[in-house]
Amino acid sequence: MPDETPATSATTRDVPAFGWSGYAERVNGRFAMVGFAAVLLIEALSGDTFLHWAGLVP
């Protein structure tokens, strides 16, 4: 019978798990950093706040 253990992540030796795992939190944090950098870039290039640029506030 083949081994049922999933492979580890490409960046760590942690086995990816479902739910509140260190791996999931690390990936979520990386996406949050990319989103925050995108908001800063939008504000710098447009000269306006992100909420106004997105049409969420008048």
Side-chain angles (χ1 to χ4, degrees):
M1 182 155 48
D3 188 15
E4 297 294 326
T5 306
T8 59
S9 169
T11 57
T12 67
R13 296 205 181 276
D14 297 342
V15 175
F18 180 78
W20 297 94
S21 65
Y23 177 78
E25 290 300 311
R26 191 167 28 257
V27 170
N28 187 31
R30 289 174 183 167
F31 277 118
M33 287 185 276
V34 169
F36 186 69
V39 167
L40 290 177
L41 186 64
I42 288 171
E43 288 190 0
L45 294 178
S46 71
D48 205 357
T49 65
F50 174 76
L51 294 176
H52 188 260
W53 176 85
L56 298 174
V57 294

